[in-house]
Amino acid sequence: MSRPALKLRSWPLTVLYYLLPFGALRPLSRVGWRPVSRVALYKSVPTRLLSRAWGRLNQVELPHWLRRPVYSLYIWTFGVNMKEAAVEDLHHYRNLSEFFRRKLKPQARPVCGLHSVISPSDGKILNFGQVKNCEVEQVKGVTYSLESFLGPRTSAEDLPFPPATSCSSFRNQLVTREGNELYHCVIYLAPGDYHCFHSPTDWTVSHRRHFPGSLMSVNPGMARWIKELFCHNERVVLTGDWKHGFFSLTAVGATNVGSIRIYFDRDLHTNSPRYSKGSYNDFSFVTHANKEGIPMRKGEHLGEFNLGSTIVLIFEAPKDFNFKLKAGQKIRFGEALGSL
């Protein structure tokens, strides 16, 4: 392609291509110009910068007189049920960040004690089931790589299994007990949902892996549009063990959700201005003083998002584990995901 043609291959022209009537920019094809795909165009948007700006805006204290109209508009737009909030008075929330991270009344989300795994958050079930190979569905028909999502298993010191030599062996090494299978569940948190997430079962967290990355929207429409969306986005992977073996919970960031907070992890800092693409940071909670890691009880507070995002559970369990779910259903924190 000639140098002039390369200069013409730019995103401003692509934006016009998709906005103007069909064929308006067709003459440019004679000099070698081709529009960038919608996916590539969306990926070029500086979502991390926008998310940091949104984060700063959220911290701005609103005048007392402005709080009710601003929060009421948000409540009406996203269907927020303020009767569940620990503090219903809208004037109590000094800024948008405090409102997004509002706590619930203790009785608003009873934790189901009859099932071994509960929903860690409010949200919508995008997908669930057995992990049959190295590709996992983020929504029906659209997959992501299990190894790309969790990251390579290379540290024999921190992790109890050797490096994978193939896609299938990576999956198999997560299954530590004979007769078990690997399962997954994807929960999407909408902007109007309760933004804190909790421990889905009794387990011990031994390791944290933080992937800096993009902050693209993770709503179901976008998840159907972009393959491996969850692998592109910033995410925090917590891994450990429960009574049936390997267990992991991953908090996936999204546009305007640059802040992922894990309550017991003060060293975690997300949405940094600079990062190397494909990089990740490991941290082990297993130390000489603490040989076990961080014990978590079912329903215990674990972390929070700003606005909305996605939680992905990947865990091993016996073959008779059954999900109590339907794809697309709404679910609330504390309700059953599945049991033996």
Side-chain angles (χ1 to χ4, degrees):
M1 186 183 295
S2 67
R3 188 178 299 273
L6 286 172
K7 290 183 178 179
L8 282 171
R9 190 181 175 92
S10 59
W11 68 264
L13 280 176
T14 299
V15 172
L16 291 175
Y17 176 85
Y18 290 121
L19 293 179
L20 293 176
F22 178 75
L25 296 181
R26 183 172 292 177
L28 293 177
S29 63
R30 297 173 184 173
V31 292
W33 180 78
R34 293 292 184 275
V36 177
S37 71
R38 288 179 174 88
V39 172
L41 181 64
Y42 178 66
K43 287 181 178 179
S44 70
V45 176
T47 52
R48 293 179 64 84
L49 178 62
L50 293 174
S51 296
R52 283 195 297 276
W54 177 255
R56 292 192 176 98
L57 179 63
N58 285 350
Q59 299 295 332
V60 175
E61 184 168 344
L62 296 176
H64 194 269
W65 62 269
L66 190 58
R67 295 175 188 177
R68 179 172 291 277
V70 169
Y71 299 146
S72 295
L73 177 61
Y74 186 91
I75 290 167
W76 177 80
T77 302
F78 295 109
V80 178
N81 183 3
M82 284 303 293
K83 291 183 178 180
E84 297 178 334
V87 180
E88 296 184 40
D89 181 11
L90 298 181
H91 293 108
H92 169 80
Y93 303 100
R94 294 172 297 177
N95 52 49
L96 287 166
S97 180
E98 286 189 2
F99 180 72
F100 294 147
R101 295 180 290 107
R102 63 194 177 276
K103 305 300 182 187
L104 299 181
K105 295 172 181 174
Q107 67 274 20
R109 296 290 186 276
V111 174
C112 178
L114 299 177
H115 298 273
S116 55
V117 183
I118 61 168
S119 176
S121 66
D122 288 9
K124 180 180 180 180
I125 301 296
L126 295 190
N127 217 313
F128 64 93
Q130 254 187 53
V131 179
K132 296 291 187 181
N133 49 44
C134 58
E135 292 288 319
V136 187
E137 285 192 324
Q138 57 191 24
V139 293
K140 189 171 180 61
V142 182
T143 62
Y144 60 92
S145 162
L146 181 63
E147 184 170 7
S148 296
F149 182 71
L150 295 178
R153 291 347 218 185
T154 57
S155 175
E157 180 180 348
D158 290 338
L159 296 166
F161 28 77
T165 56
S166 70
C167 184
S168 60
S169 66
F170 180 84
R171 175 199 169 278
N172 292 339
Q173 71 179 336
L174 297 180
V175 180
T176 61
R177 301 183 185 181
E178 188 175 352
N180 281 0
E181 296 289 346
L182 197 65
Y183 298 87
H184 77 109
C185 183
V186 182
I187 305 169
Y188 167 68
L189 289 74
D193 288 327
Y194 169 55
H195 290 70
C196 297
F197 51 93
H198 300 246
S199 176
T201 191
D202 295 336
W203 65 308
T204 301
V205 183
S206 58
H207 187 268
R208 178 259 290 163
R209 176 167 282 168
H210 171 218
F211 291 84
S214 300
L215 287 171
M216 294 181 282
S217 172
V218 292
N219 68 57
M222 198 63 66
R224 283 189 290 269
W225 194 31
I226 300 178
K227 180 180 171 64
E228 297 209 331
L229 171 62
F230 298 158
C231 298
H232 291 301
N233 271 17
E234 182 162 23
R235 58 198 181 279
V236 176
V237 181
L238 300 178
T239 55
D241 295 279
W242 71 318
K243 61 183 178 181
H244 299 296
F246 172 79
F247 198 95
S248 73
L249 180 149
T250 301
V252 183
T255 308
N256 298 333
V257 193
S259 175
I260 302 172
R261 182 184 174 194
I262 304 298
Y263 294 139
F264 57 75
D265 190 354
R266 295 183 179 181
D267 294 319
L268 175 65
H269 301 285
T270 58
N271 198 11
S272 300
R274 295 181 180 178
Y275 73 98
S276 299
K277 187 174 181 180
S279 65
Y280 56 84
N281 305 304
D282 284 332
F283 185 86
S284 176
F285 298 110
V286 177
T287 64
H288 292 294
N290 180 9
K291 301 292 185 181
E292 299 296 326
I294 307 295
M296 297 297 301
R297 302 294 296 174
K298 184 166 67 172
E300 186 177 352
H301 279 85
L302 183 53
E304 63 187 37
F305 293 111
N306 279 322
L307 204 57
S309 197
T310 297
I311 294 287
V312 179
L313 302 180
I314 298 175
F315 57 94
E316 70 169 301
K319 293 181 179 179
D320 56 350
F321 181 87
N322 291 308
F323 284 102
K324 310 294 183 182
L325 303 171
K326 293 181 180 179
Q329 79 171 71
K330 293 287 290 182
I331 197 166
R332 304 203 302 178
F333 155 62
E335 294 179 346
L337 283 186
S339 63
L340 298 170

